[in-house]
Every structure is written in C-alpha cells, then in structure tokens.
Amino acid sequence: MKYIIQLLRPQQWLKNLFIFMPLFFGGELFNINNLLVSLATFISFCLVASGIYCINDVKDVVSDILTYGYV
C-alpha cells in the first residue's frame, strides 16, 4: 500500500489548493455550494494528475531500468 501511495504522489497535490483561492479572495470560502464545487474540482485534479504520473511511470520503466539499473 505504501508504494501505491508513493506512486500517486500526494505531495504534488498541494499545488491544486490554488483552486480555492478565488473563493478565499472573493469572500465565498464559507458558501457551501461553491465550496463543494471547488472540493469536487480539487479531487478531480488530484486524481487526473495521479493518473498521468502513473501512466508516465509505466511508460518510462524500461528507460529507468537502463539508466539507473532499477525501477
């Protein structure tokens, strides 16, 4: 399970928090409807980014083995 979480790269999700900036600066951070839409967008961005990281890792596995000698 540890390696799956590493593969998804949750540390990269922090940049997706910028999705909440318009709510913060627009004074709508506590508007539940806008917050739910932004939360759904945040989760979607995180899942899409993780999927792209996974696809890239699978695509580059042979190159990584040849370059570094391991995966």
Side-chain angles (χ1 to χ4, degrees):
M1 189 66 160
K2 172 185 169 187
Y3 297 111
I4 293 174
I5 292 172
Q6 286 178 341
L7 179 66
L8 297 177
R9 294 183 178 103
Q11 70 275 13
Q12 297 293 328
W13 297 349
L14 290 175
K15 62 185 161 223
N16 293 337
L17 291 173
F18 282 109
I19 290 170
F20 296 99
M21 298 302 273
L23 293 180
F24 177 76
F25 288 113
E28 295 289 321
L29 192 58
F30 298 106
N31 181 323
I32 193 69
N33 293 327
N34 292 341
L35 189 60
L36 289 174
V37 169
S38 295
L39 185 61
T41 304
F42 173 79
I43 291 168
S44 299
F45 272 50
C46 292
L47 292 175
V48 168
S50 291
I52 291 170
Y53 289 132
C54 292
I55 290 168
N56 187 52
D57 286 346
V58 169
K59 181 180 169 223
D60 291 342
V61 71
V62 173
S63 174
D64 290 345
I65 291 171
L66 294 174
T67 303
Y68 305 108
Y70 61 91
V71 179

